[in-house]
Amino acid sequence: MFKSVLVANRGEIACRVFRTAKRMGLRTIAVYSEADANALHVREADEAVRIGPAAARESYLDGVKVLAAAKATGAEAIHPGYGFLSENADFAEAVAAAGLIWIGPDPQSIRAMGLKDAAKELMIQAGVPVTPGYQGADQSEATLTAEAARIGYPVLIKAVAGGGGKGMKRVDDPADFAAGLASAKREGAAAFGDDRVLIERYITRPRHIEVQVFGDRHGDVVHLYERDCSLQRRHQKVIEEAPAPGMSEAVRAAVTGAAIKAAKAVNYVGAGTIEFIADASDGLKADGIWFMEMNTRLQVEHPVTESVTGVDLVEWQFRVAAGEPLPLKQDEIRLNGWAMEARLYAEDPANGFLPSIGRLEHFFMPDGIRVDTGVEQGGEVSQFYDPMIAKLIVHEDTREAAAARLAEAAGEVEVWPVKTNAGFLKRCLDHPRFVAGDVDTGFIGAEEGALQPVETAEATLAALTLVAEAASDGEAAGSDRFSPWGGQPGLSYGVRLNAPAQTMVWAHVDGRGVSGAVTPVEAGWRGAEGMTARVGFDQVQAGEALFGYQVIDDGFVLFVDGEARRVTPYRAAVGSGAGAVSDGSLRAPMPGKIVAAPVKAGDVVTKGQPVVVLEAMKMEHALTAPFDGVVEHVAAVGDQVVEAAVLAVVKAAD
């Protein structure tokens, strides 16, 4: 076994690999960009090397700099994590040529499975069922348009070198094919340096099922059962679980057998995932599951497989890379219970799930479960990298228990001022369809209305009680905790005392006016509905509900079921924020680069028509016309813009 390992990655996956390496007694080495100088993975490593500026292309994607860091620190092996250089065959060859151990599959296996079109042809030859589609060399728009018509709409356009939903566009109408193709090509070129695409039939009720495989250099290949990753948004996984709900032993044997066949077709060594798409219109059937692609690396969702099998997949990667045989034979790998993982993203569900960046002034993760993260309180969420900030993982005896525990954990997340999808995750996990296992990749879109935040009397009472407590003497929680109002006249902050025994309270909660009467009682306040609220150290209990809170400059942040709600005086100004369109100005919701402008000044546009396309955090975001009108201004393609910059102006039609 080698004695030291450099992780050519950042964030939670670097921290995850270091955890196993330290347990095995290996020396750990991190690399970092200028933006990550104070990152958690840097401090957790035994040694760290700065390799370049914030932009990934000049740091984490620069294989020459990574290899130089490995040589300078005496690293014996390189673990690539996922993303960045993990599926770069040229880099894998360079690692071996430098006399270092590459903790991953052989370069020829990466190449064989790295391009979706070539991989599908290889699987056809190996007898693995594949999704009907086109993966030919002719990339002309005319040919691709004709092939889409042959396959039949809806179709899915996919970058051949893609992954993580990037360069992937669903097209339902032939009239939209050209625009979808252009966008997929742009994303493919920007993210992977390759604008080629393939086209597949879009399964109208698909489930995403994948099989974890592992091979060694002694000819053995095993599977570690399946995962279901069907709960997705914009083709990116949100919640994963193992095993897959509704999976019979016969179908499991078919899909795992196909996965083994696929891995053996490329003489696979190390950890890999064979991804399948299943038609869920009539349950899972052996003849209704098709190969999609292979990820020749460790997956983001690998913890659920570790939970149900008791296997440390990173340790297996180390041992196989060192030439050891697989630690277990196929008949020694057992399924135990049910595991679920939720991806916690720094994004704003109320604003189209746009990424959220900034300093994590408050960052609290739930206790009693596995949390894989690469950030901590006081850290930064940068515009330069993927917005996933943590993974919440639970393991229980049954699927129902796992869903309930993960929903509870998502509701306990407290993050401020960066926005997260924690509340959204909780609502997904609590949804009756999800609890019943009735899930496909269209679940989030179909249930969008039911996944919106719900106001509760308990949360409103908690917010009003914080205001009332702060405007009075604040003794229940200590008046020094309430800097905005403590010891100040209540009337000047929107609080009216109607009578000595009752307080009428007004406040803004996320800019929305709320009011109510609360009555001071012993050790708390009673609301109009009879519930009692009590304020304690950083917690408010209203009825049976318990909420966390944090004092901020102009009020409080109340943490409600994974949501962070800003509570301020009623007369506090409520700004429109980035992205406001009431005056026809389309503003950048985050820093980024203009990659397309489908219209120009003077063009007539209709409400909802794309006006400008911003690329940020590895994804494209189209800003659309807020109403019918004429374009007065639009930013130039190639411009780098800051948050809240005006990208376009639309003048309303007369």
Side-chain angles (χ1 to χ4, degrees), residues 1-2 16-21 23-24 26 79 103 214 271 298 302 306 310-327:
M1 176 61 66
F2 45 85
R16 161 70 189 94
V17 175
F18 289 156
R19 188 164 64 246
T20 291
R23 179 175 59 78
M24 297 177 67
L26 305 180
H79 192 300
I103 303 176
F214 225 108
L298 198 66
H302 76 274
E306 293 183 323
V311 167
D312 184 328
L313 292 176
V314 175
E315 179 179 346
W316 278 33
Q317 285 186 296
F318 288 161
R319 295 195 180 283
V320 166
E324 297 181 17
L326 291 173

Side-chain angles (χ1 to χ4, degrees), residues 75-355:
E76 297 176 58
I78 292 181
H79 192 300
Y82 48 70
F84 294 137
L85 297 168
S86 63
E87 295 179 281
N88 186 313
D90 293 340
F91 180 66
E93 286 180 339
V95 170
L100 305 176
I101 295 173
W102 168 250
I103 303 176
D106 293 335
Q108 58 266 33
S109 298
I110 298 175
R111 289 195 176 96
M113 289 298 199
L115 297 178
K116 292 179 172 64
D117 52 352
K120 289 185 70 173
E121 290 293 342
L122 181 61
M123 292 301 99
I124 291 171
Q125 296 172 18
V128 177
V130 302
T131 312
Y134 172 77
Q135 54 271 354
D138 187 346
Q139 291 284 300
S140 68
E141 183 174 338
T143 295
L144 293 171
T145 302
E147 288 296 329
R150 178 187 63 81
I151 296 166
Y153 288 88
V155 298
L156 197 61
I157 306 171
K158 301 169 71 173
V160 299
K166 301 174 184 67
M168 186 182 298
K169 303 293 174 183
R170 173 182 171 176
V171 181
D172 296 295
D173 190 318
D176 299 326
F177 183 80
L181 176 62
S183 182
K185 282 180 168 290
R186 279 196 305 269
E187 283 192 4
F192 314 108
D194 190 338
D195 72 349
R196 291 176 297 157
V197 300
L198 59 83
I199 306 173
E200 291 179 347
R201 177 196 298 170
Y202 185 85
I203 309 301
T204 55
R205 193 157 183 235
R207 279 179 61 181
H208 183 124
I209 294 175
E210 59 190 35
V211 177
Q212 178 73 60
V213 295
F214 225 108
D216 63 18
R217 296 200 175 279
H218 304 273
D220 287 332
V221 178
V222 299
H223 71 79
L224 291 96
Y225 299 98
E226 80 281 355
R227 300 185 286 255
D228 191 303
C229 307
S230 298
L231 204 71
Q232 301 180 4
R233 185 188 58 75
R234 295 177 184 167
H235 306 294
Q236 289 189 320
K237 301 165 188 174
V238 176
I239 294 172
E240 302 102 349
E241 58 185 302
M247 178 67 72
S248 68
E249 288 302 323
V251 177
R252 175 173 289 134
V255 71
T256 55
I260 293 291
K261 190 182 295 185
K264 287 184 174 180
V266 292
N267 300 312
Y268 198 75
V269 174
T273 301
I274 313 296
E275 300 196 351
F276 297 88
I277 188 169
D279 185 349
S281 57
D282 190 27
L284 295 178
K285 296 182 178 180
D287 60 356
I289 301 181
W290 302 280
F291 170 87
M292 282 199 304
E293 61 183 335
M294 181 178 190
N295 287 300
T296 53
R297 53 172 168 78
L298 198 66
Q299 290 278 91
V300 176
E301 58 271 25
H302 76 274
V304 295
T305 294
E306 293 183 323
S307 296
V308 295
T309 61
V311 167
D312 184 328
L313 292 176
V314 175
E315 179 179 346
W316 278 33
Q317 285 186 296
F318 288 161
R319 295 195 180 283
V320 166
E324 297 181 17
L326 291 173
L328 296 175
K329 298 295 185 183
Q330 186 66 69
D331 60 2
E332 297 175 313
I333 304 171
R334 299 277 190 270
L335 272 176
N336 174 34
W338 213 285
M340 285 188 184
E341 171 184 297
R343 301 190 186 192
L344 184 67
Y345 283 99
E347 62 185 13
D348 185 3
N351 192 22
F353 292 92
L354 290 176

Side-chain angles (χ1 to χ4, degrees), residues 46 56 71 87 92 114 150 261 274 345 365 368 380 386 422 425 603 610-611 631:
D46 295 319
K71 293 177 182 178
E87 295 179 281
R150 178 187 63 81
K261 190 182 295 185
I274 313 296
Y345 283 99
M365 293 292 104
E380 293 276 343
D386 189 274
L425 293 171
D603 285 356
V611 175
V631 178

